[in-house]
Amino acid sequence: MTPGFIASGLSLLSAAVLIFLAYRPAIELHAHHLSMGSQIIHWLDIRRVDRTGWMSPLIVRLTLFDDSRVLLIYPGNLDSCQALLRHLRRASRDALIDGVPYRQYWGEMLSSSSPGRL
């Protein structure tokens, strides 16, 4: 009788997680901000973009300018999760991406201070 309770409990837990993910607010990317339901986060306000080990569903921690944190959960397929993560990283120009500065993460070179030198 106990194995039946374990199986039904796990099934109930799985159903609860799926319902939670289905009712997450929509995530929209705009030129100047990210919107998650009624919450709007400007790209300039994001200081850190840290990916967790989860890729599908995508779970990303965003740290904002006032040290508040937002947990972004996107329950899409693997391709759309990778595309969303790439857009988040590209648009967050003032952020550390997984602890690495934006320019260094994307391989952009810093301009040299003396243009006449080789």
Side-chain angles (χ1 to χ4, degrees), residues 57-72:
L58 177 65
I59 301 176
V60 177
R61 284 187 211 101
L62 302 176
T63 305
L64 305 180
F65 71 97
D66 60 355
D67 289 332
S68 63
R69 293 195 175 124
V70 175
L71 188 65
L72 183 140

Side-chain angles (χ1 to χ4, degrees), residues 24 34 36 39-41 45-52 59-73 96 99:
R24 297 290 304 163
L34 161 74
M36 295 186 305
Q39 184 178 14
I40 294 176
I41 302 170
D45 293 345
I46 298 174
R47 295 292 174 242
R48 287 187 68 103
V49 177
D50 295 310
R51 190 186 73 146
T52 62
I59 301 176
V60 177
R61 284 187 211 101
L62 302 176
T63 305
L64 305 180
F65 71 97
D66 60 355
D67 289 332
S68 63
R69 293 195 175 124
V70 175
L71 188 65
L72 183 140
I73 301 173
L96 292 175

Side-chain angles (χ1 to χ4, degrees), residues 27-115:
I27 298 171
E28 297 177 12
L29 302 176
H30 299 277
H32 300 287
H33 67 275
L34 161 74
S35 84
M36 295 186 305
S38 62
Q39 184 178 14
I40 294 176
I41 302 170
H42 295 276
W43 294 120
L44 296 175
D45 293 345
I46 298 174
R47 295 292 174 242
R48 287 187 68 103
V49 177
D50 295 310
R51 190 186 73 146
T52 62
W54 292 80
M55 193 57 183
S56 182
L58 177 65
I59 301 176
V60 177
R61 284 187 211 101
L62 302 176
T63 305
L64 305 180
F65 71 97
D66 60 355
D67 289 332
S68 63
R69 293 195 175 124
V70 175
L71 188 65
L72 183 140
I73 301 173
Y74 178 70
N77 63 23
L78 187 58
D79 291 334
S80 60
C81 288
Q82 288 175 341
L84 176 60
L85 182 60
R86 181 172 174 79
H87 286 297
L88 286 171
R89 288 174 171 169
R90 266 297 181 194
S92 302
R93 292 189 159 280
D94 292 336
L96 292 175
I97 300 172
D98 294 328
V100 179
Y102 178 88
R103 290 178 158 241
Q104 184 179 351
Y105 182 84
W106 291 108
E108 296 176 6
M109 297 302 295
L110 296 174
S111 61
S112 63
S113 59
S114 55

Side-chain angles (χ1 to χ4, degrees), residues 1-10:
M1 189 152 162
T2 303
F5 283 126
I6 293 172
S8 64
L10 290 175

